[in-house]
Amino acid sequence: MREEIKKSWRGYFIPVFCLGCLLLNCYLLLGRWEYRDDIQKINRMASETGTRITNSIMQDYEKFWTEKMNTSGMKWEELEGFIRMAPGLFENVSLEDMAYSYISDNHLSGEAAEYAVSLYHGLEGRKQEISANEAGTLFLPASMSYFSYLSVYILFITAIETIAGCVLITVRNTHFEINNRTEAVIYTTSKGRRTITNKLTCSILDGIFISAILYGITFILLTAVYPVNNLLTAPVSSGMNELGGSPCISSWPISIGGYFLLNFITASGLGIVFVLLAFTLSAVIRNSFLAVLLVLAGTSIIRIAGMNMPLSVMSYFYEKYNPVDCLLQAGKWFISCSSSVSLPFYEPGTIILWSMILGSACMIMIRRFNRQEL
């Protein structure tokens, strides 16, 4: 195993790949730079007055904003409007309207539309819980679209980068001997044949490591560019938050910091699924470039098949339990809004189901490799 890890780091693929991805993330992080001063003010305000919105604390907010801070940027009246609206926002949220918005966006009808409505109606209890406990929490105003930007761009792109890294490092590890023309030496012994199992284990560990580096450093950069450390404990379902123009209804109480961690865990799980997929194909295809193309072709086929599913039957939702659609939901995992709804056990169910399927395929490929003539 130690030798396989050394091989995976030989050539500096992992550091160079991670550096390139992080440079892209740095560029994307500048997308809300014009709000940086106001974000900094609100973060400082949260450190002195807390994040729980009450009638008695409104005067403290106003005093802090108008007396202790520079009055350039967002005016107090604008911020006050968001703060006063936040506690009661979810009381006026119509789950019916959110359901029909989702149905309209996805062109659903018949049984599928009825099921979508039932999913949104099932959020009633969670909506009341948010209204009572989470909605009245200080966060960045919806006009900044900060959380939408964080989810739709930063978390989504980082998840894509993680999966790309997992696929590439798996193909590279599996084909290391072939690319270096040492397979005739290594694989002629029984011990050499067993290294194929170590390659799979090494690829999984490398994938988790890539995910940790990308999410960890991106999080550090995020809090450095936009000081939000005092707002990380605010719930995702704060009344001042929004995603795609509508309130966020998280599956359970999740803080902003916890949501970032949850995205890392989910992306790592999906990364393992794609490692298993890439390994299965790489064990059959001896050309690295062709193996990567087959992974892309496989994901494209899954996506195209999903796009052509009937929009009036329940199979539309069953087909969603695949790693490609799950990846495309990155940034909206465990959250329901007018443009997405969290299906029952969607993220863990998809990861576990496909890990079992592809894990079995990997075992078959390993046995086949150990028995074949080179």
Side-chain angles (χ1 to χ4, degrees):
M1 174 61 68
R2 184 181 302 174
E3 289 301 317
E4 292 304 320
I5 293 175
K6 288 180 180 179
K7 290 177 186 177
S8 69
W9 279 85
R10 194 175 299 171
Y12 306 104
F13 170 80
I14 294 177
V16 171
F17 176 82
C18 290
L19 179 61
C21 291
L22 290 171
L23 289 174
L24 173 61
N25 291 357
C26 283
Y27 174 77
L28 293 174
L29 282 172
L30 301 178
R32 287 295 180 271
W33 184 260
E34 68 271 22
Y35 296 124
R36 187 176 187 276
D37 288 343
D38 287 330
I39 291 173
Q40 199 167 18
K41 294 176 187 178
I42 296 171
N43 184 61
R44 288 178 58 187
M45 186 167 71
S47 69
E48 295 198 17
T49 60
T51 58
R52 188 66 183 173
I53 299 173
T54 62
N55 290 329
S56 60
I57 207 170
M58 286 301 295
Q59 291 182 347
D60 295 332
Y61 284 156
E62 182 176 7
K63 180 179 179 181
F64 181 89
W65 193 262
T66 56
E67 294 182 7
K68 294 188 178 183
M69 305 303 298
N70 190 319
T71 56
S72 62
M74 180 180 291
K75 302 301 181 184
W76 164 248
E77 290 75 18
E78 182 181 355
L79 179 61
E80 181 185 23
F82 284 106
I83 294 176
R84 289 193 179 278
M85 182 177 64
L89 179 65
F90 280 87
E91 296 177 4
N92 301 317
V93 169
S94 171
L95 295 175
E96 194 84 15
D97 290 344
M98 291 177 68
Y100 285 115
S101 176
Y102 177 82
I103 292 169
S104 176
D105 289 345
N106 293 279
H107 309 288
L108 303 182
S109 62
E111 188 181 15
E114 293 175 2
Y115 181 66
V117 171
S118 70
L119 287 175
Y120 278 95
H121 283 171
L123 297 172
E124 182 62 39
R126 179 72 184 117
K127 176 190 136 180
Q128 293 178 3
E129 181 184 355
I130 292 171
S131 181
N133 301 314
E134 301 169 47
T137 307
L138 181 68
F139 192 61
L140 305 176
S143 60
M144 293 181 179
S145 300
Y146 178 84
F147 186 76
S148 285
Y149 188 79
L150 172 66
S151 298
V152 176
Y153 289 95
I154 307 303
L155 292 177
F156 177 77
I157 294 298
T158 306
I160 296 292
E161 293 168 346
T162 296
I163 300 307
C166 288
V167 170
L168 293 175
I169 196 63
T170 301
V171 173
R172 182 180 183 275
N173 289 346
T174 308
H175 288 166
F176 185 87
E177 279 72 23
I178 296 174
N179 293 336
N180 288 275
R181 300 182 180 181
T182 58
E183 73 273 21
V185 177
I186 301 297
Y187 295 145
T188 52
T189 65
S190 59
K191 182 179 180 181
R193 287 294 183 104
R194 289 195 295 272
T195 60
I196 193 69
T197 305
N198 292 337
K199 289 180 182 295
L200 175 58
T201 305
C202 178
S203 297
I204 291 174
L205 295 177
D206 285 341
I208 295 173
F209 179 81
I210 288 173
S211 178
I213 289 293
L214 293 180
Y215 275 90
I217 297 181
T218 299
F219 180 78
I220 293 171
L221 293 172
L222 176 72
T223 54
V225 175
Y226 306 109
V228 292
N229 56 297
N230 295 311
L231 298 169
L232 292 176
T233 56
V236 168
S237 298
S238 165
M240 294 182 68
N241 200 6
E242 59 89 26
L243 181 59
S246 71
C248 302
I249 301 179
S250 59
S251 300
W252 63 87
I254 310 173
S255 67
I256 299 296
Y259 186 65
F260 207 99
L261 177 61
L262 195 60
N263 270 260
F264 157 65
I265 295 172
T266 306
S268 297
L270 270 181
I272 293 174
V273 171
F274 277 88
V275 164
L276 298 176
L277 173 62
F279 179 85
T280 301
L281 295 175
S282 298
V284 178
I285 307 299
R286 296 173 65 84
N287 182 283
S288 297
F289 181 72
L290 183 58
V292 173
L293 285 182
L294 282 178
V295 173
L296 291 175
T299 56
S300 299
I301 290 171
I302 293 174
R303 180 57 180 163
I304 292 171
M307 293 173 64
N308 288 279
M309 289 295 293
L311 302 176
S312 59
V313 294
M314 283 296 295
S315 58
Y316 171 84
F317 289 100
Y318 297 149
E319 193 278 333
K320 293 290 183 184
Y321 287 83
N322 68 77
V324 179
D325 277 292
C326 188
L327 175 60
L328 295 177
Q329 281 294 108
K332 296 182 180 179
W333 288 328
F334 305 102
I335 288 180
S336 299
C337 58
S338 60
S339 60
S340 68
V341 61
S342 184
L343 299 173
F345 308 106
Y346 179 60
E347 294 82 4
T350 301
I351 292 171
I352 293 171
L353 172 65
W354 282 86
S355 293
M356 293 172 62
I357 294 173
L358 294 172
S360 300
C362 287
M363 292 177 64
I364 294 172
M365 289 300 103
I366 290 173
R367 289 185 179 181
R368 176 180 177 274
F369 179 83
N370 288 332
R371 293 175 181 175
Q372 71 180 354
E373 294 290 335
L374 294 178

